[in-house]
Amino acid sequence: MRETIDSIKTSELSILSFSAVAGRTLIAPIDVVRTTRQSLRPSLQRSLSSLWINGGFKGLFRGNLMGCSRDLLFIHLIRHFYGKISSNSDTLHKSGGFEGLLSVVYTGLLATVVTQPLDFAKTRLQCQSMTKNNRLYIDVFHLYSSTIKSEGFSRLFSGSFPAGFSLVTYVGFLTVIFNALENFESLDRRDALLISIIGARTVTYPFDTIKVRMQVQHMMPDKLDLKVVANAKKTAIRIFHQYGLLGFFRGLPLALVSIVPLFVLQSALIPQEEKFRDAIT
């Protein structure tokens, strides 16, 4: 595990970063519609019509810049934090396996918290086309200043807990599913990895829904009926009471559809793909 991340050269890191930006931009329209489905509960047809009427073609790419920035920062923080932790851990130097996996999860949690304000801005920019005033925020600077002024600085980190928990469970399920599928000799490793990603994404999707709903609180209280700040537990209970279990999976088909082109693109662009697949074995 340690050798996997440490062996990523600067040129390979640049390619990985480019693939992240290209992939994010490729699935941006799908991601916008999926987020509005999660947060504002409109039908798919209403989401598409509102996005097009209020923003046109550009409306399908709202928040993409913040999404790309978040992904780039996340990748570099993972490499930086992991290097700091592994250099101070004798156990990690001597073993890969479980200790290495825990270290990656820990660095992922740190990177998730640090990049949460960028994810927060992405979500709100994507959802503002569904408000009565589709230009609720003039730009990202206005978004941050108005949010801090009216809701406090801590609001920028809303959704950190479900996002972090989603990361931990995602890595866990991805590892378990992938290792189980490797027992099938007729199944190619690339296909096994794709199936594992789809399975892990499905299982952890409810945490992403909770995160998004927490991020858009106070953005449209008349639409969302969220006039008070709700933590992850209260948000989950409210979703269940209003929409049942299926409410946690709104937009899931769109999330799963976006996995395939993203997987194909990144597999083609990343020359050291085997290294990244080995990281979870």
Side-chain angles (χ1 to χ4, degrees):
M1 178 76 71
R2 180 176 183 272
E3 289 76 8
T4 297
I5 295 181
D6 289 345
S7 62
I8 301 177
K9 300 177 182 178
T10 302
S11 60
E12 295 168 357
L13 187 64
S14 299
I15 295 176
L16 178 60
S17 300
F18 174 77
S19 69
V21 173
R24 169 69 66 177
T25 304
L26 177 66
I27 66 171
I30 300 177
D31 189 56
V32 170
V33 178
R34 177 190 62 81
T35 303
T36 57
R37 290 281 289 139
Q38 283 182 300
S39 60
L40 307 179
R41 314 187 295 273
S43 63
L44 179 60
Q45 181 179 1
R46 182 186 169 192
S47 296
L48 290 171
S49 61
S50 297
L51 286 169
W52 185 261
I53 292 173
N54 295 328
F57 182 74
K58 291 182 179 179
L60 298 176
F61 292 87
R62 277 185 175 176
N64 185 58
L65 178 60
M66 300 309 297
C68 291
S69 300
R70 185 264 177 194
D71 291 347
L72 288 175
L73 181 59
F74 188 88
I75 291 172
H76 287 268
L77 286 176
I78 284 288
R79 190 167 184 258
H80 174 73
F81 287 152
Y82 190 88
K84 293 292 185 181
I85 294 174
S86 61
S87 63
N88 296 322
S89 175
D90 293 334
T91 303
L92 192 59
H93 275 286
K94 298 176 182 178
S95 62
F98 185 68
E99 290 81 3
L101 183 62
L102 285 180
S103 182
V104 170
V105 170
Y106 180 64
T107 57
L109 290 175
L110 289 176
T112 297
V113 173
V114 173
T115 59
Q116 194 64 16
L118 296 175
D119 186 74
F120 174 87
K122 176 186 77 71
T123 300
R124 289 210 169 183
L125 288 173
Q126 288 176 329
C127 294
Q128 71 171 348
S129 60
M130 304 300 296
T131 63
K132 293 180 179 179
N133 177 13
N134 72 88
R135 293 294 293 177
L136 186 63
Y137 303 113
I138 300 175
D139 51 38
V140 67
F141 300 105
H142 178 233
L143 184 152
Y144 282 132
S145 61
S146 61
T147 299
I148 294 174
K149 182 178 180 180
S150 60
E151 303 175 44
F153 180 78
S154 61
R155 178 58 51 202
L156 301 181
F157 294 88
S158 61
S160 295
F161 177 76
F165 194 78
S166 176
L167 174 67
V168 173
T169 53
Y170 179 87
V171 173
F173 277 105
L174 181 66
T175 304
V176 171
I177 296 174
F178 184 80
N179 289 337
L181 291 176
E182 275 202 313
N183 295 326
F184 297 91
E185 297 181 357
S186 59
L187 190 63
D188 183 74
R189 290 193 79 202
R190 184 188 296 262
D191 296 333
L193 180 58
L194 178 59
I195 295 173
S196 301
I197 293 174
I198 293 175
R201 177 62 166 152
T202 301
V203 174
T204 59
Y205 191 79
F207 303 117
D208 189 63
T209 299
I210 295 172
K211 180 204 70 174
V212 170
R213 291 290 296 273
M214 291 179 67
Q215 289 175 329
V216 297
Q217 289 184 90
H218 292 299
M219 189 177 176
M220 285 162 294
D222 59 324
K223 292 283 186 181
L224 296 173
D225 192 28
L226 293 173
K227 298 182 180 181
V228 296
V229 176
N231 56 27
K233 180 180 178 180
K234 291 181 179 179
T235 302
I237 293 175
R238 182 168 300 186
I239 293 174
F240 182 76
H241 283 172
Q242 292 179 338
Y243 302 100
L245 186 62
L246 293 179
F248 293 97
F249 294 92
R250 285 178 176 266
L252 176 61
L254 293 172
L256 298 182
V257 167
S258 65
I259 289 177
V260 177
L262 189 61
F263 181 83
V264 173
L265 175 65
Q266 293 187 344
S267 296
L269 290 176
I270 299 175
Q272 300 294 327
E273 180 190 352
E274 286 294 330
K275 290 183 179 181
F276 299 100
R277 289 209 297 265
D278 289 341
I280 64 173
T281 59

